[in-house]
Amino acid sequence: MELLSSHRSFGGWQQRYGFKSTSLNSETTLSVYLPPQADRGSVPLLYWLSGLTCTDENFVTKAGAQRAAAELGLAIAAPDTSPRGAAVADDAGWDLGQGAGFYVDATQDPWRSHYQMATYVRDELPALLAAHFPAIDCDRAGISGHSMGGHGALTLALNNPDRYRSASAFAPIAAPSQCPWGEKALTAYLGSDRSAWLTYDACECLKTSAWDRPILVDQGEADEFLAGQLLPQQLEQAAQAAGKALTLRYQPDYNHSYFFIASFIDDHLRFHAEQLGS
């Protein structure tokens, strides 16, 4: 791993690394926040998954999460949203291809040679962090994200309850098999057989998941994508039917932006810290 930048922040370190990912078969970047407690012992970890068009830098520069993370002793790992590079397949649209990996393992050409985002987040990142950051306790890990990243956080947690101890999301794409963003991406990455999509639809995952811990979701009521793309009511109904503990908070006047995330990120970090024993 090559250290690309390092900044002192609230007594900890906000760092960015570049490396070759074996899962993605490409160069990638990763932002990591190490709280000051990491100098004295092990700290739990929160994975943050960003949304469409974002990189690993959006969250760490816009969300203002470092202050609460330093107070709580919580490390944060923010990967990029997709593989990138001249050899990586892309699309002219902003909602497919580079910047829009959807946190799935693609099975279709030309995507499958690089777009293995689920494996990257679930398997490669924990091994990488454990090898390079001995203070991070990857066995005490939570996961969160925004929009496409909220979709990724929820599906990864529900599909891997042994890997994550806490889960939350901001304005997640809750039912991607039922919205235009999801239908476009899942068709491209996984093919037209909709049964192959179910693993990556949080509403479907809730039906069979062994997840038995609370989930926190915040949704802005002024979100321009609320009705057509995000469908949080579907998530709420699925959680109720499955007997899962979902807290869905609608926030009046908030939209889909990072102003929304920055307003409630402390709540989410405290939620994760409580679940992780920070």
Side-chain angles (χ1 to χ4, degrees):
M1 293 180 69
E2 177 187 1
L3 180 63
L4 302 178
S5 64
S6 185
H7 306 280
R8 203 68 157 144
S9 181
F10 296 101
W13 291 99
Q14 182 63 64
Q15 299 177 327
R16 190 179 194 226
Y17 294 86
F19 58 96
K20 176 67 177 291
S21 163
T22 55
S23 303
L24 306 181
N25 191 26
S26 68
E27 296 291 330
T28 192
T29 50
L30 172 69
S31 290
V32 177
Y33 180 70
L34 293 171
Q37 293 86 343
D39 293 336
R40 305 188 294 273
S42 66
V43 294
L45 170 67
L46 178 67
Y47 294 96
W48 173 269
L49 307 183
S50 291
L52 288 163
T53 75
C54 290
T55 70
D56 58 294
E57 293 189 288
N58 293 75
F59 176 77
V60 300
T61 59
K62 294 181 178 181
Q66 291 87 350
R67 182 192 296 272
E71 174 191 335
L72 298 166
L74 190 62
I76 302 175
D80 201 352
T81 53
S82 78
R84 297 181 193 267
V88 176
D90 201 5
D91 185 82
W94 57 270
D95 53 354
L96 184 67
Q98 296 187 33
F102 261 81
Y103 304 101
V104 306
D105 284 343
T107 59
Q108 304 298 302
D109 289 329
W111 312 102
R112 61 182 173 181
S113 60
H114 296 284
Y115 286 75
Q116 302 297 310
M117 287 297 296
T119 294
Y120 171 62
V121 174
R122 182 189 63 237
D123 298 331
E124 185 175 356
L125 272 187
L128 187 77
L129 292 167
H132 291 273
F133 301 92
I136 294 179
D137 184 356
C138 294
D139 290 330
R140 287 193 293 154
I143 191 164
S144 185
H146 171 232
S147 193
M148 177 186 72
H151 139 77
L154 292 179
T155 55
L156 279 161
L158 292 170
N159 287 325
N160 303 279
D162 57 326
R163 293 292 185 98
Y164 308 101
R165 296 189 185 182
S166 58
S168 76
F170 288 81
I173 303 174
S177 62
Q178 302 177 51
C179 74
W181 280 344
E183 290 181 330
K184 179 178 179 178
L186 297 180
T187 299
Y189 297 142
L190 305 175
S192 58
D193 180 2
R194 287 178 171 256
S195 66
W197 302 3
L198 302 184
T199 300
Y200 301 108
D201 187 309
C203 292
E204 295 295 329
C205 293
L206 280 165
K207 296 177 180 179
T208 57
S209 176
W211 184 270
D212 60 358
R213 292 176 286 283
I215 297 171
L216 174 63
V217 172
D218 271 304
Q219 173 62 61
E221 289 186 346
D223 192 318
E224 58 271 40
F225 305 113
L226 175 57
Q229 301 283 11
L230 304 178
L231 310 178
Q233 69 279 7
Q234 304 273 25
L235 186 71
E236 189 169 35
Q237 292 168 7
Q240 289 175 350
K244 306 297 185 185
L246 169 69
T247 298
L248 174 58
R249 309 191 305 186
Y250 285 95
Q251 305 294 355
D253 301 323
Y254 285 90
N255 59 20
H256 203 67
S257 71
Y258 262 87
F259 295 107
F260 163 55
I261 296 171
S263 298
F264 300 102
I265 190 62
D266 286 9
D267 289 355
H268 283 246
L269 294 181
R270 295 184 193 284
F271 168 82
H272 286 279
E274 181 178 355
Q275 299 296 314
L276 299 174
S278 176

